[in-house]
Amino acid sequence: TGPMSLECLGNLLRITLSAEYFGDKYLSLFVIDHSGTAWELDDAMAAQCGYAVTYTTWRKIEFRASALSCHSHLEKDVFTINIQIKASQTPDMSNATAHLKSASCHYGPWSPRELICESNYMEVSVKREVPQTIKDFIQDEPEDWTLVFPEAKAEEASIWQIVFHQPEEKRALLVSNAWSAGYGLNATDSRVLLRVPYTAAQVQLVEVGVLLLAQQAARLCGSNQMPSLQDQGIAFSVLRSSTFYKHEWMILMLDTAVACSVDGVDYTNKTITWTVPKYIPPLSAGVTSFKDVLVEAGVDLRKLSAKEMASRKYVLLNELKAITMKIPIGAEGGYYKTSVSNGQLGVKYTINLFLEHQWEDNKWRLTKHTIIKEIETPFEQTEVAINNNLNLNARLMNVTVGAFLPDVELVNLTIEGVAVAVPEAVQHGYIIHRTRYANGSKAYVIEVPLDAPSVKKEFMREDMRAYTLNVTLTFITYPSRETFVVPVIVLSAVKDAVLPSARGFCDGKNLHLIITRGNVDQNWLPFISDWHLTQEAAQKYSYILRDNGTHLAISVPFLSPHVSYEGFHTSAIKASFYLTLKDGITLAQRRDFSVSCIFSPSELIQCLPNGTVIITAIKLVGGEYLDTALLVLRDRQCKPSLVTEKTATFRFNVSTCGTSRKFNSTTMTYENEVLYFRPGNDTPIYQLKFLCSYAVKQNDVLYEPKKNPPPSIKPGFGCLALSLKLFKEKSYSEPYQESEYPVVKYLREALYFEVELLQPKDARLDLNLDDCWATNSQSQDSLPQWHILIHGCENNKDSYRTVFHKVNHSFRVKFPQHLKRFEVRMFSFVQDTSLLQE
């Protein structure tokens, strides 16, 4: 049938525009008059001229025209209408394609009075009849309208004026004024027509009671029996009018009253009930007898037989007072359409009913009343089904949204707060399919990879991860262009969680914990109890914290505030370090790790050759009551020189603090105790014995001093602040800044190092370098290692030996003896012939 199809339906003509061709386009409709001029159709013109444009089942467009429309050409009971449709892909109608359609339909015979109740106008046309006595009259003189009725002669049409009858007054309008007011008037050789928009000023809303109508029907039909009826008011749009037209030298008047019901629809028990009164007072004025001739009904202007109605479970009742149609909601002939109310999605059932009622009376002989009634049920909210079919093999979330009616289209997705048009969604990893079902409905299938950035991943339990898709879909309905959104929040549990693992080790001075990250801990943070371990916090305690994204490494000294000690006895100390990974958002505890190592007690004691003893007492697990600041030696006046929460360090000479001694032929042994007393109690509740033994032969210098001993440097105890810097040139004028690391150098390229004693600033001090070595990582204790300096000298095994540079006094260098500068050639660690990398 092409993009347009034609149907002749009695005194109406229908042209249907194909949804496949026009459904997704912007349209403009034009009607073409007898001169070939195209008039663009708008709502006001359609109601005045006898046209109706409606959108029927799912984007199908329907154009209807009355046989007596403004631009119809009527000849021998055939009326012809020419229309033009312009279609464009854009709202501004650019690059529009024009389509012409000429349609002709035969209609006849005409009834003396015909009434049409269209969706947007009321129309009445009556036969022009001249009384026989007037037809036989012979006029002596020619017409002289100028003298008698100048207004009538001035009118182009044969209609002169129209008079509206209202309860309070009567108002007369000439044809030109009536046209300006939106009324449609026309006259042919045999008929006079009046067309009225429902919104016209003179239209009245009148409620007609069914009980009153039944009484009138009984009177007109000559029945004395009056059934018991309940009064039921039905609203009508009514226009009472008389139309005057000229015939030769006379002016004749016609009753052009018209009335159409605007309600009479009820929805109960999933059934639509439409009631149309038979006897409408404005249409029955002056009538004394009434007889039904024909009652027919149908859908979409097509009449249905009794058998067809029964198959659809329609009921048509032709009763005394009224005609009633009952339609099951959802029955064949109607359709559901999508509706949006306050942002909520729902549906309405729509059916376009058609009723033709013909009757005879003593005034008009035969009246034909055609009623087109588009009925729409109230809004019924619906839920959108969302189904997730996880494809584990392809690692795809496969989400089906719908089904929807065909009048719904997906227009965009909101992904992480950004609106994305459907064609662009693929750039975000979203693949969208549209699935159609046999009943015409459709659904949208969204495929998203589990690893897409917008899919939230969250650890659930040991081996499970939760993948959450959170996207908002925006839909539009046609032709109403209402929008609604559907939030899609889908969770899939997948057994693919890889938890972080750890290994720990000790090197005699430090405890090391290396955590290998899994796939669930990207936002987990390291905590020591409730203390967040950041780089700044680690530096405060001289901890080393490294995180390269795949591994998290922590190194803490043996004597640290966050190390726990237990199992202390004469042979070993168990030191433990505990670390917890917590969720970075909720701070929920996720994973605990620890490293424990056995240390020798000798790590706590230093027996210096000059007789100085340095002893560190530690608080053991279970001894939380202990205040390390109150620890003392045997001489209670000897108190710790350095106190932390878990340690107390004493520094004293073996000849002080109540130290006892005993010796034999080879050794001298000094013994003391670290004690803790409760206030007011002389019995210690904590006792740590320690001793230092000196070999007499090796330390005979203590007992047989020599005369005039040469100057010597004796070991001492104190704090030094040192810095190690890498400079860009041999001039040592510009060091590399922190932001420039890592520094890239080629093999054998020179590296210029400077070591400086920062504190104390004592001119009597000299800085001497003993050992200096390079490692393959940031840890000074990691392997492999290569010594650059050995006992202050170059490494003889080095192919490119270290070169020392003299330090002179300058504006920056006040104490040259506090600095050491040396040059090293760039090298790499190799094993056999393979390059070693961290």
Side-chain angles (χ1 to χ4, degrees):
T1 58
M4 291 180 279
S5 60
L6 166 68
E7 291 177 280
C8 299
L9 303 164
N11 53 1
L12 292 170
L13 173 150
R14 176 166 62 196
I15 296 174
T16 303
L17 308 186
S18 167
E20 287 76 13
Y21 189 86
F22 293 105
D24 59 348
K25 297 180 176 63
Y26 294 87
L27 303 180
S28 292
L29 274 73
F30 298 82
V31 287
I32 301 173
D33 64 15
H34 307 302
S35 66
T37 302
W39 300 84
E40 186 170 5
L41 196 61
D42 57 21
D43 292 342
M45 179 181 174
Q48 185 176 28
C49 283
Y51 305 115
V53 179
T54 60
Y55 292 83
T56 60
T57 47
W58 304 323
R59 301 173 74 174
K60 185 185 292 183
I61 302 170
E62 184 175 297
F63 170 83
R64 294 193 297 268
S66 168
L68 297 176
S69 62
C70 295
H71 308 92
S72 295
H73 176 65
L74 187 62
E75 184 176 356
K76 294 182 180 180
D77 292 336
V78 175
F79 62 98
T80 301
I81 295 174
N82 296 303
I83 67 169
Q84 181 187 63
I85 296 105
K86 290 184 178 180
S88 174
Q89 298 287 354
T90 58
D92 61 2
M93 300 304 294
S94 59
N95 301 319
T97 304
H99 302 267
L100 291 172
K101 182 72 173 181
S102 180
S104 298
C105 288
H106 176 273
Y107 177 66
W110 290 82
S111 299
R113 179 173 66 166
E114 296 202 359
L115 303 161
I116 297 178
C117 295
E118 249 287 8
S119 59
N120 56 337
Y121 65 85
M122 303 182 289
E123 179 182 294
V124 55
S125 69
V126 297
K127 185 177 180 181
R128 294 173 56 168
E129 289 188 315
V130 180
Q132 187 63 38
T133 55
I134 296 178
K135 291 180 180 178
D136 297 337
F137 183 81
I138 299 175
Q139 185 181 359
D140 294 330
E141 299 294 334
E143 291 181 309
D144 192 358
W145 284 97
T146 304
L147 297 176
V148 183
F149 292 111
E151 298 91 345
K153 183 174 179 59
E155 294 296 335
E156 295 180 1
S158 60
I159 298 176
W160 171 37
Q161 70 175 10
I162 181 170
V163 176
F164 299 106
H165 305 271
Q166 293 183 312
E168 65 276 2
E169 64 175 352
K170 294 181 181 179
R171 184 182 180 190
L173 289 178
L174 296 177
V175 173
S176 57
N177 295 332
W179 268 100
S180 299
Y183 296 93
L185 298 100
N186 195 7
T188 68
D189 294 339
S190 60
R191 303 188 73 80
V192 171
L193 172 132
L194 171 64
R195 189 175 298 109
V196 187
Y198 286 102
T199 56
Q202 307 302 322
V203 172
Q204 299 173 310
L205 195 62
V206 177
E207 190 169 289
V208 178
V210 174
L211 178 59
L212 173 62
L213 297 174
Q215 291 172 341
Q216 181 180 2
R219 177 175 55 81
L220 291 176
C221 296
S223 174
N224 294 321
Q225 185 178 4
M226 176 57 63
S228 176
L229 300 172
Q230 183 179 359
D231 193 4
Q232 177 184 356
I234 296 176
F236 276 78
S237 286
V238 175
L239 183 74
R240 298 181 176 91
S241 63
S242 299
T243 301
F244 293 83
Y245 70 98
K246 66 180 183 178
H247 177 76
E248 297 180 353
W249 54 273
M250 295 170 294
I251 291 180
L252 301 179
M253 181 187 76
L254 292 174
D255 180 358
T256 49
V258 63
C260 292
S261 64
V262 294
D263 57 15
V265 180
D266 184 39
Y267 311 96
T268 55
N269 299 324
K270 297 291 184 180
T271 300
I272 300 169
T273 302
W274 178 33
T275 302
V276 179
K278 283 186 177 181
Y279 315 103
I280 306 165
L283 304 181
S284 305
V287 173
T288 57
S289 62
F290 182 93
K291 179 184 176 181
D292 262 340
V293 175
L294 178 69
V295 173
E296 291 184 312
V299 175
D300 293 332
L301 290 176
R302 292 193 182 94
K303 298 176 183 178
L304 297 177
S305 67
K307 183 178 179 180
E308 290 174 315
M309 287 194 180
S311 68
R312 300 184 181 193
K313 297 184 179 179
Y314 294 2
V315 176
L316 177 62
L317 300 175
N318 183 9
E319 299 175 316
L320 178 65
K321 58 180 179 176
I323 302 168
T324 302
M325 284 192 73
K326 294 185 177 182
I327 310 292
I329 294 177
E332 179 186 353
Y335 62 95
Y336 283 98
K337 68 178 182 180
T338 304
S339 182
V340 180
S341 177
N342 297 323
Q344 297 296 317
L345 177 66
V347 295
K348 294 179 179 180
Y349 175 73
T350 301
I351 188 166
N352 196 19
L353 296 179
F354 159 74
L355 178 65
E356 182 179 304
H357 182 205
Q358 296 185 34
W359 69 85
E360 290 180 350
D361 58 44
N362 61 305
K363 180 179 178 180
W364 292 99
R365 298 194 304 278
L366 183 64
T367 296
K368 180 181 177 182
H369 196 182
T370 301
I371 305 172
I372 299 170
K373 186 71 173 179
E374 183 174 332
I375 296 176
E376 187 176 270
T377 59
F379 175 85
E380 181 180 350
Q381 186 173 337
T382 58
E383 299 295 330
V384 178
I386 301 174
N387 296 305
N388 178 24
N389 299 303
L390 181 63
N391 186 340
L392 271 179
N393 292 332
R395 289 187 61 78
L396 281 176
M397 298 183 79
N398 187 298
V399 182
T400 301
V401 184
F404 298 100
L405 294 175
D407 57 355
V408 169
E409 289 289 343
L410 175 64
V411 290
N412 66 45
L413 302 84
T414 301
I415 304 171
E416 295 183 306
V418 179
V420 178
V422 172
E424 301 169 4
V426 67
Q427 300 174 15
H428 297 259
Y430 289 67
I431 300 174
I432 300 172
H433 307 283
R434 184 170 56 189
T435 300
R436 293 191 181 275
Y437 301 111
N439 63 357
S441 63
K442 60 186 173 184
Y444 288 90
V445 179
I446 303 171
E447 292 184 349
V448 188
L450 289 175
D451 301 316
S454 59
V455 175
K456 180 183 176 183
K457 303 156 190 71
E458 189 175 12
F459 173 64
M460 293 177 65
R461 51 184 183 271
E462 286 301 319
D463 58 350
M464 301 290 289
R465 276 200 297 176
Y467 291 83
T468 303
L469 173 66
N470 190 344
V471 61
T472 300
L473 309 182
T474 301
F475 295 87
I476 190 170
T477 64
Y478 291 97
S480 59
R481 294 190 176 271
E482 297 175 302
T483 59
F484 64 93
V485 299
V486 176
V488 176
I489 302 176
V490 176
L491 185 144
S492 296
V494 181
K495 289 186 177 182
D496 67 348
V498 178
L499 293 173
S501 59
R503 64 182 180 90
F505 63 93
C506 302
D507 59 8
K509 296 180 181 179
N510 300 282
L511 294 89
H512 304 275
L513 191 63
I514 300 176
I515 299 172
T516 301
R517 290 197 177 274
N519 60 9
V520 297
D521 55 324
Q522 288 78 11
N523 67 335
W524 293 3
L525 303 176
F527 276 78
I528 301 175
S529 186
D530 292 327
W531 181 60
H532 183 198
L533 183 59
T534 62
Q535 285 288 356
E536 294 77 10
Q539 291 175 6
K540 177 181 177 181
Y541 292 98
S542 299
Y543 299 170
I544 298 175
L545 178 66
R546 299 188 300 274
D547 190 349
N548 63 4
T550 61
H551 293 80
L552 177 68
I554 304 101
S555 299
V556 297
F558 166 63
L559 294 176
S560 300
H562 299 100
V563 174
S564 300
Y565 307 96
E566 57 184 318
F568 182 82
H569 51 78
T570 57
S571 61
I573 303 168
K574 182 181 179 182
S576 301
F577 173 70
Y578 298 92
L579 187 78
T580 299
L581 293 183
K582 294 186 178 183
D583 190 289
I585 299 174
T586 65
L587 295 184
Q589 187 169 322
R590 295 301 190 190
R591 198 77 169 164
D592 294 318
F593 299 103
S594 66
V595 55
S596 298
C597 296
I598 302 299
F599 286 84
S600 170
S602 61
E603 297 288 341
L604 302 176
I605 305 171
Q606 296 183 62
C607 301
L608 302 181
N610 64 353
T612 298
V613 178
I614 302 173
I615 174 71
T616 299
I618 57 177
K619 183 190 294 187
L620 300 180
V621 173
E624 287 77 8
Y625 61 89
L626 197 72
D627 185 352
T628 54
L630 299 180
L631 290 171
V632 294
L633 300 179
R634 285 175 179 171
D635 183 351
R636 297 192 188 184
Q637 299 301 316
C638 294
K639 298 182 178 180
S641 58
L642 179 65
V643 174
T644 68
E645 182 184 354
K646 293 185 178 181
T647 64
T649 301
F650 295 86
R651 181 186 179 88
F652 63 98
N653 191 274
V654 293
S655 61
T656 62
C657 296
T659 306
S660 62
R661 67 178 180 176
K662 55 184 176 180
F663 61 92
N664 55 32
S665 58
T666 58
T667 60
M668 178 80 69
T669 302
Y670 296 89
E671 184 178 298
N672 207 324
E673 295 175 291
V674 178
L675 305 169
Y676 182 79
F677 299 90
R678 290 187 186 277
N681 194 329
D682 290 333
T683 302
I685 62 172
Y686 176 90
Q687 191 171 13
L688 171 65
K689 290 185 179 182
F690 61 93
L691 54 85
C692 283
S693 296
Y694 294 89
V696 173
K697 292 182 180 180
Q698 295 178 5
N699 295 280
D700 56 356
V701 67
L702 294 174
Y703 310 106
E704 298 178 7
K706 297 179 180 179
K707 296 181 180 180
N708 301 321
S712 64
I713 299 174
K714 296 182 179 181
F717 181 83
C719 295
L720 302 177
L722 300 170
S723 73
L724 173 64
K725 296 180 182 179
L726 176 62
F727 282 77
K728 297 181 178 180
E729 296 178 347
K730 190 175 182 179
S731 63
Y732 288 90
S733 59
E734 183 182 359
Y736 284 99
Q737 302 300 318
E738 185 176 351
S739 61
E740 296 179 88
Y741 286 92
V743 176
V744 178
K745 293 287 185 178
Y746 297 100
L747 288 175
R748 301 180 184 177
E749 192 174 351
L751 301 172
Y752 302 99
F753 291 97
E754 177 186 272
V755 181
E756 181 180 4
L757 174 63
L758 301 176
Q759 291 293 338
K761 297 290 187 180
D762 190 337
R764 295 174 298 171
L765 298 177
D766 281 354
L767 174 65
N768 291 289
L769 303 181
D770 187 24
D771 288 328
C772 181
W773 66 94
T775 66
N776 198 28
S777 71
Q778 294 184 15
S779 174
Q780 65 182 16
D781 300 315
S782 66
L783 297 175
Q785 298 179 355
W786 183 259
H787 285 268
I788 298 169
L789 299 176
I790 301 176
H791 302 308
C793 301
E794 305 94 330
N795 185 352
N796 293 329
K797 298 179 180 180
D798 203 334
S799 301
Y800 299 92
R801 295 188 179 183
T802 303
V803 178
F804 285 96
H805 296 292
K806 184 178 181 181
V807 182
N808 297 316
H809 189 278
S810 67
F811 176 78
R812 187 173 75 84
V813 180
K814 294 183 179 180
F815 303 109
Q817 66 272 27
H818 287 187
L819 284 86
K820 285 291 184 286
R821 292 171 177 170
F822 56 92
E823 174 186 334
V824 179
R825 293 290 173 173
M826 185 65 187
F827 64 92
S828 294
F829 286 98
V830 294
Q831 183 175 353
D832 297 331
T833 58
S834 300
L835 182 67
L836 293 181
Q837 295 182 347
E838 185 182 10

